[in-house]
């Protein structure tokens, strides 16, 4: 852009000054700066300062508008406080024509155990569902009634030495197992004791030790099995035993042991038994190199001493 056009674009300079600035002759330059030239320079400086300030202001506005996120938690991504448990919603869902909604509602109503009023309402509404033609709904209702009535006769409840009880909800809802959350009742209060992350998507079995102080919890995905021992009263948990056995045996036999990024082990356990109050034993089928190699072993684990032995089966 020519100087004349630039000055006109600014819009605050009179035409005489523009013409004077545009002529550029030697004779004009010799005359030095006139008062009009001083006014022109002052206006340009003022404009430049104002424009810079405006640009800086916009820049900082933009910077402040940019989100700074160091770490995202699950609750942060909800954008609102996590909703509280709403038992009345599940009572209402019992009237749904959708059997899946009814099944979910029956199981979720157990979570209202600590509210005597809700518990009484749920017990009244659940009675007819225990005779439902759908066996999954009938079974869920029978279990919910057993918990909410404080009868505790269900074989799905593990009764421990400290007087607490451990159980799962959505018992055997899948071909693979139950919901991967452990619920505990102690001193007549219900709490969510623990849950398992992927790939432990289902709880398949809970096996208490003879003295009821420890419990072996078996979980699985559709590819792998996992075993952990929990001391519920002390809040102590063993390492995951199948993967531990796979790594230990692989190192001893000099087999390359790949740990997958999804933590699937393609292995399983069978014949899980307590040898005594502290020692768990099982047979393991351990996979290496994505099942190219399968090793059948016997595994024993002493909870208190954290000692594992893995022996090849003939």
């Amino acid at each position: 852009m020519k100087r004349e056009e630039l000055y006109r674009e600014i819009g605050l300079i009179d035409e005489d000054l523009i013409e004077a600035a545009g002529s550029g002759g030697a004779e004009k330059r010799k005359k030095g700066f006139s008062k009009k030239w001083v006014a022109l320079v002052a206006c340009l400086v003022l404009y430049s300062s104002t424009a810079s300030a405006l640009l800086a202001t916009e820049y900082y506005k933009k910077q402040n508008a940019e989100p700074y996120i160091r770490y995202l938690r699950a609750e942060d991504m909800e954008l609102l406080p996590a909703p509280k448990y709403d038992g009345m919603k599940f009572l209402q869902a019992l009237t749904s024509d959708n059997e899946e909604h009814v099944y979910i509602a029956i199981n979720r109503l157990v979570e209202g155990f600590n509210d005597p009023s809700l518990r009484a309402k749920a017990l009244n509404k659940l009675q007819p569902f225990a005779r439902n033609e759908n066996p999954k709904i009938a079974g869920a209702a029978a279990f919910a009634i057993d918990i909410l009535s404080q009868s505790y006769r269900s074989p799905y409840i593990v009764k421990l030495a400290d007087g607490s009880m451990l159980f799962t909800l959505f018992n055997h809802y899948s071909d693979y197992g139950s919901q991967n959350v452990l619920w505990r009742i102690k001193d007549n209060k219900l709490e969510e004791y623990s849950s398992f992350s992927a790939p432990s998507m289902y709880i398949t079995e809970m096996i208490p030790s003879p003295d009821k102080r420890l419990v072996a919890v078996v979980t699985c995905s559709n590819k792998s099995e996992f075993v952990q021992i929990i001391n519920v009263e002390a809040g102590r948990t063993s390492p995951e035993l199948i993967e531990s056995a796979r790594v230990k045996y692989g190192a001893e036999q000099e087999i390359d042991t790949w740990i997958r990024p999804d933590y699937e082990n393609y292995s399983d356990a069978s014949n899980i038994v307590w040898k005594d109050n502290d020692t768990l034993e099982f047979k393991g089928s351990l996979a290496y190199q994505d099942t190219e190699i399968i090793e059948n072993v016997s595994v024993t684990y002493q909870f208190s001493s954290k000692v594992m032995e893995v022996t090849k089966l003939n």
Side-chain angles (χ1 to χ4, degrees), residues 7 15 66 69 79 86 99 109 111 120 151 176 185 213 226-227 231 264 271 279 297 302:
Y7 299 151
E15 293 296 325
E66 299 266 349
I69 300 173
L79 298 182
D86 184 1
E99 288 193 331
L109 280 168
E111 296 177 39
S151 300
Y176 296 105
I185 293 177
R213 296 189 180 278
F226 311 90
V227 178
N231 183 326
E264 297 280 4
N271 302 101
T279 307
V297 300
Q302 291 183 315

Side-chain angles (χ1 to χ4, degrees), residues 123-289:
L123 276 170
N124 181 53
K125 297 289 187 180
L126 287 171
Q127 299 297 332
F129 292 97
R131 301 182 294 274
N132 194 278
E133 293 180 356
N134 184 318
K136 188 165 286 189
I137 288 177
F143 182 76
I145 291 168
D146 186 57
I147 295 291
L148 295 174
S149 66
Q150 300 171 289
S151 300
Y152 309 132
R153 298 191 187 97
S154 173
Y156 295 135
I157 300 171
V158 174
K159 298 177 181 178
L160 300 174
D162 67 350
S164 68
M165 289 167 283
L166 211 62
F167 60 89
T168 61
L169 294 175
F170 297 90
N171 288 296
H172 300 290
Y173 78 96
S174 164
D175 292 339
Y176 296 105
S178 307
Q179 184 188 28
N180 60 345
V181 177
L182 290 174
W183 293 89
R184 183 193 192 198
I185 293 177
K186 185 178 183 183
D187 299 328
N188 206 34
K189 294 293 182 183
L190 175 69
E191 64 173 346
E192 183 180 330
Y193 179 79
S194 182
S195 61
F196 298 87
S197 57
S200 292
M201 303 304 293
Y202 311 91
I203 294 173
T204 62
E205 201 171 1
M206 292 186 291
I207 310 165
S209 61
D211 64 0
K212 312 294 185 185
R213 296 189 180 278
L214 304 176
V215 59
V217 180
V218 185
T219 61
C220 75
S221 67
N222 62 347
K223 303 172 184 175
S224 312
E225 277 193 338
F226 311 90
V227 178
Q228 283 182 281
I229 300 173
I230 301 176
N231 183 326
V232 174
E233 185 175 8
R236 292 172 51 213
T237 305
S238 75
E240 197 286 299
L241 300 183
I242 294 181
E243 183 68 2
S244 297
R246 197 175 75 88
V247 171
K248 178 178 173 63
Y249 184 80
E252 291 172 349
Q253 302 298 317
E254 298 183 345
I255 303 172
D256 285 341
T257 305
W258 303 340
I259 298 176
R260 294 171 54 90
D262 59 7
Y263 298 104
E264 297 280 4
N265 58 39
Y266 289 91
S267 304
D268 59 60
S270 60
N271 302 101
I272 303 172
V273 296
W274 287 95
K275 299 297 291 180
D276 55 43
N277 289 325
D278 191 54
T279 307
L280 190 73
E281 181 180 77
F282 61 88
K283 293 179 181 179
S285 178
L286 308 181
Y288 298 90
Q289 300 178 21

Side-chain angles (χ1 to χ4, degrees), residues 86-98 101-102 105-106 109 118 121-122 125 129:
D86 184 1
M88 297 306 294
K89 174 177 67 177
F90 298 117
L91 280 175
Q92 182 63 34
L94 292 177
T95 63
S96 172
D97 292 331
N98 186 318
H101 291 178
V102 172
I106 290 170
L109 280 168
L118 176 61
K121 291 176 183 176
K125 297 289 187 180
F129 292 97

Side-chain angles (χ1 to χ4, degrees), residues 15-62:
E15 293 296 325
D16 292 339
L17 284 176
I18 294 172
E19 293 301 324
S23 62
E27 184 177 346
K28 298 282 186 182
R29 285 195 297 270
K30 287 179 182 179
K31 291 182 180 179
F33 286 104
S34 68
K35 291 182 180 180
K36 289 186 177 182
W37 273 110
V38 172
L40 172 62
V41 171
C43 288
L44 287 173
V45 170
L46 177 61
Y47 174 80
S48 177
S49 300
T50 304
S52 298
L54 289 171
L55 287 171
T57 301
E58 288 304 311
Y59 172 77
Y60 284 112
K61 280 183 179 178
K62 184 176 185 298

